[in-house]
Amino acid sequence: MDTNDAGLGSRLAAYLSGMGPSWVAGAVAAGPATIASLVTAGALFGYQLLWVVVLSAGAGALTQYLAMRLGLLTERGIVAVVEDHLGEWWAWLLVADAVIAAGVAQLVIMKTVATVSSTVTGVDARIWGVVWALVLAVGLAGRGYRFLEVAAKTIVALVIVAFVASLFVVPIDPGAAVAGLVPSVPSGGALVAAGILGGAVHITLITMHSYTMRSRGWTRDDYSLAAFDVGASMLVAFGVYSLAIFLVTASVLTSADLSTVGAAQALGPLVGPSAKWLFLLGLWGAAVSTLGGNTIVPPFLLADKLGWGTTIDDSRYRGLLVAAALLSAPGAFIGGAVLGQLVLVLALGTVGTPFAIAIVLYLLNSDAVPDRNSTLANVGGVALLLVTGTLAANFVRSQVAGGIGPLSGVVLAFAAALALAMLVLLAKFVREEVVAA
């Protein structure tokens, strides 16, 4: 064997065994909310939104790459970097943005986990909500980040296998699928498109990355491994996961009036029990892995803002983990159809995501990092900002169009505050560049 080939093989093996932080983000992205958006898109519009599914994988990988750069080049948590270079008010705004998005998502994700657990076992979903909350509290507070990372990598891999296997028992229309790669948004598809993209490009994924890398002890010397980690988890694994789910539902389902569990059950009489159980088990694994990954986001950000440690060695951080885990239990008691709630959660997260992207881009082009962003990275980042901003604006417009109620009013106020903050940030950046010139 050629020496170069042997060296490349050894390096690849080391990268594969060393992966981790981005897989935790991938576990959150590859969750029931994303499944709900994909099921809705496929059932309502067939293959028409396939281009959004493909775009989401690339956009998700680029977003995590930018977040990875900031975390490695500063070797600090994002909240501390924001506070040092922008100020305390900006840090609190970022914390509030992420905690609101993660907190709302946590309740609906727990509802999904409990519902699927009940469907599989026959035990009441509310009991499962309490059980899973206790499992989270004991597992995360007792074992810490490494427990979560190992679980995320294992479960996500199994989930992908389950959904890819379901492709072999469902008839796919190749011609219609290719036509779906042509960008177009059918009437009523804006919210669903925002949900699909929101699963891959989300404020929780952006803000958590610097902390998961710190938990692994990664530094600037691990840049290549970290980049490989992002590509393998978000571009490849998450991309395959999304494509498999979308193609299955677009090929078979004809009604979006389903819960995520209902979508799995509907596959049984249509294409056989094997498809039903593969989809159901995949959903269960995705929900469990997402619940764990999402739980750690608020404790990471709050602990960093308060100057506490972000590992279980600090009892205050461990207390935040336990609180976040136990406070997710009420999600199992929420009524209503979970499918629409999951799509809404992702779309709501999309409102807060442009602000997080703007913060990351600002810091990567400031003296916060030793090496500023390349032109290509900046172009990609601005494109992400424009796409997520447009989707967020469409979502807010759709909420307000139905009349200003409690929910739409909160969404509108939240979006307006973040939009104003981004304008201020842009003006600050322009002023600093003019002075520097």
Side-chain angles (χ1 to χ4, degrees):
M1 178 183 292
D2 186 271
T3 304
N4 291 334
D5 291 340
L8 180 61
S10 299
R11 188 160 62 251
L12 179 60
Y15 280 179
L16 289 172
S17 63
M19 293 186 305
S22 192
W23 284 80
V24 178
V28 177
T34 297
I35 294 176
S37 295
L38 294 167
V39 167
T40 303
L44 275 179
F45 308 111
Y47 296 99
Q48 291 182 69
L49 291 177
L50 178 57
W51 68 274
V52 180
V53 179
V54 175
L55 175 65
S56 70
L62 176 57
T63 305
Q64 290 309 117
Y65 172 76
L66 293 174
M68 176 215 83
R69 272 184 57 80
L70 181 62
L72 282 189
L73 293 179
T74 61
E75 297 184 0
R76 302 180 67 195
I78 188 172
V79 172
V81 177
V82 169
E83 184 163 6
D84 282 354
H85 293 273
L86 285 171
E88 186 173 14
W89 183 86
W90 290 92
W92 273 120
L93 184 58
L94 180 64
V95 170
D97 188 7
V99 169
I100 289 171
V104 173
Q106 185 78 357
L107 293 173
V108 183
I109 293 168
M110 175 58 87
K111 177 180 178 179
T112 307
V113 173
T115 301
V116 179
S117 300
S118 177
T119 302
V120 173
T121 64
V123 177
D124 190 280
R126 291 167 294 184
I127 295 176
W128 271 114
V130 175
V131 169
W132 280 117
L134 292 173
V135 169
L136 277 177
V138 173
L140 294 177
R143 300 287 300 278
Y145 170 77
R146 291 295 291 176
F147 163 76
L148 176 62
E149 184 183 287
V150 172
K153 286 192 289 187
T154 303
I155 295 175
V156 169
L158 293 175
V159 166
I160 292 171
V161 170
F163 283 126
V164 170
S166 66
L167 284 175
F168 292 93
V169 293
V170 172
I172 307 297
D173 185 340
V178 170
L181 294 173
V182 179
S184 66
V185 179
S187 176
L191 176 60
V192 180
I196 294 173
L197 191 62
V201 184
H202 197 276
I203 183 171
T204 56
L205 310 183
I206 297 169
T207 52
M208 77 187 303
H209 209 94
S210 57
Y211 301 101
T212 53
M213 290 190 299
R214 289 183 71 204
S215 296
R216 281 293 297 270
W218 284 3
T219 66
R220 297 172 197 171
D221 295 335
D222 298 295
Y223 194 96
S224 296
L225 172 58
F228 180 88
D229 190 39
V230 168
S233 63
M234 291 302 298
L235 189 61
V236 178
F238 178 76
V240 171
Y241 161 94
S242 299
L243 280 172
I245 296 170
F246 179 81
L247 291 174
V248 167
T249 56
S251 302
V252 178
L253 299 182
T254 57
S255 171
D257 188 22
L258 296 166
S259 66
T260 45
V261 175
Q265 293 173 327
L267 292 174
L270 292 173
V271 288
S274 57
K276 166 192 168 180
W277 282 104
L278 284 169
F279 198 92
L280 191 60
L281 292 174
L283 172 61
W284 196 11
V288 170
S289 64
T290 301
L291 186 67
N294 195 72
T295 303
I296 67 175
V297 176
F300 269 148
L301 299 175
L302 285 169
D304 195 18
K305 180 64 191 71
L306 296 172
W308 301 349
T310 54
T311 69
I312 57 173
D313 294 332
D314 190 317
S315 60
R316 296 167 298 183
Y317 170 74
R318 190 187 300 117
L320 288 176
L321 278 176
V322 172
L326 296 181
L327 287 173
S328 64
F333 295 80
I334 296 175
V338 72
L339 185 65
Q341 293 169 351
L342 286 167
V343 176
L344 182 62
V345 161
L346 278 188
L348 183 61
T350 302
V351 173
T353 298
F355 175 68
I357 294 174
I359 287 285
V360 170
L361 285 175
Y362 173 87
L363 293 172
L364 286 173
N365 288 280
S366 72
D367 59 2
V369 295
D371 301 311
R372 289 195 171 197
N373 250 4
S374 65
T375 300
L376 183 60
N378 280 331
V379 169
V382 171
L384 281 173
L385 191 58
L386 292 174
V387 171
T388 56
T390 300
L391 290 172
N394 287 337
F395 170 64
V396 173
R397 190 181 302 114
S398 69
Q399 290 295 300
V400 174
I404 305 295
L407 177 60
S408 58
V410 170
V411 170
L412 181 60
F414 186 47
L418 294 177
L420 178 60
M422 285 192 290
L423 289 175
V424 173
L425 190 64
L426 176 61
K428 178 178 174 61
F429 177 74
V430 171
R431 185 172 63 251
E432 290 171 351
E433 289 299 299
V434 169
V435 171

